[in-house]
Amino acid sequence: MCKGDKNREIIRIVLNKRYDIQYASIDNQNAIKYLEKLGDLYRLTDNFPIEYDLEDYNVTIDEVNITGNMYYVITAVLRHPKCKNCRKALTDAVTGLYNRNYWEKIISGATLHPRTQNFSLILIDVDNLKEINDTYGHTAGDKVIEIVGQAIKKCIRKEDAGLRYGGDEFIILLFNQDKKAAYRVIERIRREINKLAAGQGMNIQISAGAAYYDCLRNMGDIIKMADRDLYKEKRVKNLKKNRTVKN
């Protein structure tokens, strides 16, 4: 990682609706100076979250409900534009998506995507990667992973997060989106994969599951719920496949 003052890599400021500082990860004097740089941006919109760059920071402003009261949460993450190794450490080389290192940062809270009160999580894995590897070789298998990554990037919004968790497993976080929206995204990804795969003369099959996060659940529960949803789809596919074989 880059050298520097790690305490300044992430700034978090929480304001109440009167714009009084309720919490700051830096001292109040510097927090006030930082808010002056932000200006009145968060006062002029109801369309949250807001994301933009300010000096050397990526800034996200969101509204959250804490014990029945609404607050603004400002998260600023220091960018390291000259540190190629920092970017590489968080990026999957095959797909260009985030990697498992980035997922660990999400779990710990040290990420460009602050925890919001609601988001949907999608799990995806490739059903027939082993078959493709065995038939065409691992170069073709890498192409499959690349195609799935391309489809994910094309079908999610800029504010969402797509990750290659490992092997043929992918995670997508859709911020401020419910489970129905997640299923629509899954279908878009399937169509995009089919289109890209057809152009390569390939047949790529995926299974996917989704779960919805709210403040009453933890990340471990959400992963388990999405995993159960994914394997429910796999079971249905296997039943259909077995019936076809028997017939």
Side-chain angles (χ1 to χ4, degrees), residues 131 235-246:
E131 178 185 332
R235 285 195 297 271
V236 171
K237 287 181 178 179
N238 288 334
L239 284 173
K240 289 180 179 179
K241 185 178 179 179
N242 291 336
R243 286 171 187 164
T244 301
V245 172
K246 287 179 181 180

Side-chain angles (χ1 to χ4, degrees), residues 13-142:
I13 302 172
V14 179
L15 306 176
N16 63 19
K17 282 294 185 175
R18 296 189 301 274
Y19 311 113
D20 301 319
I21 297 174
Q22 303 297 293
Y23 165 82
S25 61
I26 54 179
D27 64 82
N28 267 24
Q29 185 175 356
N30 282 324
I32 290 169
K33 290 180 180 178
Y34 196 82
L35 291 173
E36 289 174 352
K37 293 179 182 178
L38 292 177
D40 290 335
L41 181 60
Y42 50 89
R43 307 184 191 209
L44 302 177
T45 180
D46 293 322
N47 186 24
F48 291 99
I50 305 167
E51 295 187 6
Y52 64 100
D53 294 334
L54 177 65
E55 297 178 345
D56 292 330
Y57 287 86
N58 298 116
V59 180
T60 303
I61 304 175
D62 206 352
E63 282 188 309
V64 298
N65 186 316
I66 303 175
T67 63
N69 296 310
M70 298 302 297
Y71 294 85
Y72 296 111
V73 177
I74 300 167
T75 303
V77 181
L78 184 64
R79 292 180 285 130
H80 299 291
K82 296 181 180 179
C83 180
K84 294 182 180 178
N85 289 332
C86 292
R87 293 196 296 272
K88 287 180 179 178
L90 300 177
T91 304
D92 175 62
V94 177
T95 63
L97 298 172
Y98 292 118
N99 61 17
R100 190 162 181 164
N101 291 335
Y102 191 79
W103 175 250
E104 297 301 326
K105 286 185 171 292
I106 290 177
I107 296 297
S108 69
T111 169
L112 294 179
H113 297 281
R115 291 283 185 89
T116 59
Q117 272 209 302
N118 60 85
F119 62 83
S120 288
L121 182 147
I122 297 172
L123 284 181
I124 290 176
D125 73 13
V126 181
D127 295 331
N128 57 338
L129 182 62
K130 184 179 184 304
E131 178 185 332
I132 292 171
N133 279 333
D134 291 345
T135 304
Y136 302 104
H138 286 276
T139 301
D142 287 343

